[in-house]
Amino acid sequence: MKKHKICIIGDGLSGLITAEKLSNLDLKIDLVSNKGINLKKDNRTTAISPSNLKFILKKLPKQTKKIFYSCRKVSLYHESKKKNISNFMNFNDEKKSIMYVVENAKLKKILLNILIKRGNISFIYKKINKIDVSNTSLFFEKKEKIYDMIILCTGRNNKISEKVFGHRAIEENKNDKAFTCILKHNSKINVSRQYFLKEGPLALLPISDSKLSLIWSMNKNYKKYSIKEIQSLISNKINYLFKNKIKFSLSSVNSFPINFKFNKKVFIKNVCGIGESTYNFYPIAGQGFNVVLRDIEVLNNYIEQNISLGLQIKNSSILNDFSQNRKPEDLLYGLGINLAQKFFRYNNLAEPAKRIILKELDKLKYLKKIGLNIVDKGLHL
């Protein structure tokens, strides 16, 4: 029987994980990227929930788990009008990890090495001239390649998804910008920290006993700052948050625009989008990528089910079922993250009421338990 053929466009974490999971099925896969996969310049990190880590590690070498740093406590902080930093909520579990943090480049390297060894995956490093949705095909220069399904795992700046799915979207752009870097320090810090500051949310995620990943989503007032100015701002803020009690050094700082966007279409015929090709969330505590991983798992399960029943992938109900299963939850999750970002965005008038609310939140143990379950498994509890 002829093998089903799937094309995955995009060589980021979403594309590589999708390719690795689908390569375990009876499929032929083309992984398409404009250029060769770059592992050197990516200093970003990703926070993974326990259930999503279990999905990632399935059928990977056992030593892969070593690159994920375990966090058993997450602390949330809020900056008041008088610039006081208060710890208003803590999530902790002495028996198991709440989240795992991984350096993107390390995970990408492992995935790439695995995919290269698998005989059912081909790498295509060419520019796509056109996607023919009606025929489920790609055009490279004058050559056409036909597939049973095309999966877009492209980044937020890639225009392919707009050409395929159109411009209709639920969108809110405040022209914010995120800055990321690695912070090396001389103190053992194994607690993940999320600060809601006047400039915008700042996350400090431990990736080893001596390194923290910093992700700072700043409002539009800082968009025109030079990288040197941002580095100085980060250094001053770290000294302030830790009361000058740690010595540290910063890696080079990278930046990327952030906004809330959710496409009204996530698939058309035999073409679907995963992750930033169809939605963008604010990077609060790494929740955006956990949504992506749940999407990949559900899509993988639908494809596996069809194959096990001897059914075709092309022109099947897979993508419609996938959309009905995931789209409502993804939208609610994204709106929830956006609402949290709005709630914590600094506002003089709202600060008194906010302080009262935050003071009571940590006492609500049942609410915290629900929150941990949602962060781990999403809204399908």
Side-chain angles (χ1 to χ4, degrees):
M1 183 178 175
K2 186 179 178 181
K3 284 191 177 182
H4 303 285
K5 195 166 185 179
I6 286 182
C7 175
I8 298 169
I9 302 174
D11 59 9
L13 271 184
S14 300
L16 292 174
I17 292 172
T18 303
E20 191 281 319
K21 294 309 166 190
L22 293 182
S23 69
N24 292 303
L25 307 179
D26 190 25
L27 299 166
K28 289 183 71 177
I29 297 170
D30 281 351
L31 183 61
V32 178
S33 173
N34 241 350
K35 302 175 183 177
I37 299 172
N38 189 345
L39 301 175
K40 294 181 180 179
K41 292 184 179 180
D42 193 348
N43 66 7
R44 292 174 297 172
T45 59
T46 299
I48 309 291
S49 74
S51 62
N52 279 328
L53 181 65
K54 187 177 179 181
F55 169 65
I56 289 176
L57 294 178
K58 190 176 180 181
K59 297 192 177 180
L60 291 184
K62 288 184 179 180
Q63 61 266 30
T64 305
K65 191 174 182 180
K66 293 180 181 179
I67 68 171
F68 293 86
Y69 190 82
S70 170
C71 298
R72 295 187 176 183
K73 184 176 180 180
V74 178
S75 295
L76 307 183
Y77 298 83
H78 177 253
E79 184 175 22
S80 70
K81 184 179 178 180
K82 296 180 180 180
K83 294 188 177 181
N84 293 323
I85 304 293
S86 58
N87 175 207
F88 68 89
M89 184 176 282
N90 295 293
F91 297 92
N92 60 288
D93 193 322
E94 294 180 0
K95 296 181 180 179
K96 61 182 181 179
S97 297
I98 294 175
M99 69 165 64
Y100 297 83
V101 187
V102 65
E103 294 176 69
N104 289 14
K106 287 184 179 180
L107 181 55
K108 286 169 73 174
K109 186 176 181 179
I110 287 175
L111 291 168
L112 183 58
N113 288 336
I114 289 169
L115 294 176
I116 288 171
K117 294 175 184 176
R118 291 189 177 168
N120 60 337
I121 292 187
S122 298
F123 294 84
I124 299 176
Y125 299 121
K126 291 182 180 179
K127 184 179 179 181
I128 299 168
N129 289 343
K130 178 185 173 184
I131 296 180
D132 184 349
V133 173
S134 61
N135 202 32
T136 320
S137 65
L138 300 184
F139 286 85
F140 305 97
E141 297 175 348
K142 294 181 180 179
K143 187 177 180 181
E144 181 183 20
K145 296 201 74 170
I146 300 173
Y147 299 94
D148 294 296
M149 183 182 291
I150 297 173
I151 304 172
L152 303 184
C153 297
T154 54
R156 68 178 67 223
N157 295 322
N158 197 298
K159 300 299 180 184
I160 291 177
S161 60
E162 283 189 5
K163 291 178 181 178
V164 174
F165 302 122
H167 298 275
R168 295 185 65 194
I170 300 168
E171 189 170 8
E172 185 176 16
N173 191 350
K174 294 183 179 294
N175 293 312
D176 292 353
K177 199 170 186 178
F179 296 91
T180 67
C181 66
I182 302 298
L183 188 151
K184 293 182 180 180
H185 57 84
N186 66 343
S187 302
K188 185 175 180 179
I189 300 172
N190 54 15
V191 177
S192 292
R193 301 166 185 244
Q194 178 73 63
Y195 294 90
F196 295 97
L197 308 173
K198 289 184 178 181
E199 299 89 346
L202 183 151
L204 291 173
L205 308 176
I207 51 179
S208 75
D209 287 347
S210 60
K211 288 199 295 185
L212 292 168
S213 168
L214 181 147
I215 308 100
W216 199 352
S217 306
M218 295 188 183
N219 63 52
K220 62 182 179 181
N221 297 330
Y222 299 90
K223 196 173 182 180
K224 295 181 180 179
Y225 276 46
S226 68
I227 290 297
K228 190 174 181 180
E229 288 173 318
I230 293 297
Q231 284 178 323
S232 177
L233 190 60
I234 290 172
S235 294
N236 291 336
K237 188 62 71 171
I238 294 299
N239 280 324
Y240 174 64
L241 295 177
F242 288 94
K243 300 178 181 178
N244 296 304
K245 290 182 178 179
I246 68 169
K247 293 181 180 180
F248 63 91
S249 62
L250 302 178
S251 71
S252 58
V253 176
N254 295 140
S255 67
F256 56 91
I258 49 174
N259 66 308
F260 172 70
K261 181 180 179 181
F262 195 92
N263 282 24
K264 292 194 174 181
K265 282 187 177 180
V266 298
F267 85 97
I268 181 168
K269 294 192 175 179
N270 297 299
V271 182
C272 76
I274 291 284
E276 290 186 344
S277 61
T278 54
Y279 52 76
N280 303 143
F281 299 156
Y282 276 83
I284 295 180
Q287 285 309 296
F289 195 71
N290 281 286
V291 175
V292 177
L293 289 170
R294 286 191 279 270
D295 288 350
I296 295 171
E297 183 172 15
V298 169
L299 180 60
N300 177 82
N301 291 342
Y302 279 127
I303 293 174
E304 184 177 18
Q305 185 179 29
N306 260 46
I307 291 172
S308 67
L309 294 173
L311 301 175
Q312 292 295 313
I313 289 176
K314 196 166 190 174
N315 300 324
S316 68
S317 65
I318 289 174
L319 295 186
N320 183 62
D321 294 342
F322 166 72
S323 176
Q324 289 186 354
N325 181 307
R326 294 301 307 159
K327 190 177 176 181
E329 178 178 341
D330 289 352
L331 178 58
L332 284 173
Y333 216 90
L335 289 172
I337 292 173
N338 197 44
L339 184 63
Q341 191 271 343
K342 282 184 176 181
F343 175 79
F344 287 106
R345 189 177 282 266
Y346 189 78
N347 183 312
N348 269 333
L349 296 175
E351 284 308 301
K354 195 182 294 183
R355 283 197 300 273
I356 295 171
I357 294 170
L358 294 179
K359 192 176 180 180
E360 299 300 317
L361 277 178
D362 201 43
K363 300 175 184 177
L364 303 175
K365 293 183 180 180
Y366 183 69
L367 181 64
K368 289 166 68 175
K369 186 177 180 180
I370 292 174
L372 280 177
N373 283 330
I374 291 174
V375 167
D376 182 25
K377 300 176 181 177
L379 299 175
H380 287 183
L381 303 178

